[in-house]
Amino acid sequence: TYSREAFEMLREGLDPAVIEHVGKATGMPMGPFEVADMVGIDTAHKISHATLKEVGAEALKAKGENIENLEIFDWIVEKEGRIGQKGGKGFYDYEGRKPTKLWDGLYQRFPKGKKEADTAEMRKRFLHIQAIETIRCMEEGVVMAADDADVG
């Protein structure tokens, strides 16, 4: 949910570096693009497409998913060959396993400055989407209490 909200912000034209910084400023140990790289963009790509095939676009939309975010996965994995930290390149460029800087290709595909960054609003969005997911997990019995969802 954290990285997914970052993809929304990226598509809206917010600066990738600001998105990453605000994610950390919200209290997260890593920015959302670094998290996506660590998980593996290719893994998220495969899971997203398998889920879309299994349940369909309408079911995903009903759960609040924006299937247009799949275009980001398609572009970065299939076209650019960037699979994340394990491949040495993802949303970040890497030296070994250490991220060095956000990949310049993000700025070419998603030019910064198309939308003015309201960092307070961005923080609210990051927290809000996670609160919604916590509620979903409670409703579906994945966790029994909100504290159970806050173990990371």
Side-chain angles (χ1 to χ4, degrees):
T1 56
Y2 176 51
S3 293
R4 188 172 60 228
E5 189 65 21
F7 301 152
E8 291 284 336
M9 293 177 186
L10 186 63
R11 287 183 37 258
E12 291 168 11
L14 290 166
D15 184 332
V18 173
I19 296 168
E20 196 76 343
H21 173 75
V22 170
K24 291 178 189 176
T26 303
M28 305 301 167
M30 287 183 262
F33 300 121
E34 188 175 358
V35 169
D37 274 1
M38 285 193 76
V39 169
I41 305 167
D42 60 330
T43 302
H45 176 257
K46 288 175 189 171
I47 290 169
S48 296
H49 278 283
T51 303
L52 177 62
K53 183 179 178 181
E54 182 70 25
V55 301
E58 292 308 313
L60 289 175
K61 288 178 187 176
K63 283 200 156 215
E65 298 285 339
N66 187 340
I67 61 170
E68 292 177 18
N69 285 337
L70 289 175
E71 295 172 7
I72 295 173
F73 290 138
D74 293 344
W75 164 71
I76 200 164
V77 172
E78 295 175 11
K79 184 171 186 254
E80 300 296 336
R82 301 182 74 90
I83 63 170
Q85 183 188 45
K86 65 186 170 193
K89 57 185 182 176
F91 289 102
Y92 275 87
D93 289 326
Y94 287 84
E95 285 183 14
R97 297 189 56 79
K98 182 180 180 196
T100 56
K101 68 181 183 89
L102 281 167
W103 174 48
D104 290 335
L106 283 176
Y107 294 102
Q108 294 166 5
R109 175 74 185 254
F110 303 98
K112 63 182 176 179
K114 285 174 42 182
K115 182 176 179 180
E116 187 66 30
D118 178 343
T119 57
E121 179 64 25
M122 292 169 72
R123 277 193 292 271
K124 287 179 188 174
R125 286 177 63 179
F126 278 132
L127 294 171
H128 183 253
I129 195 72
Q130 291 176 78
I132 290 171
E133 190 64 23
T134 300
I135 292 167
R136 274 195 199 122
C137 287
M138 290 176 64
E139 289 175 347
E140 295 174 7
V142 175
V143 296
M144 302 311 289
D147 287 347
D148 295 340
D150 192 24
V151 294

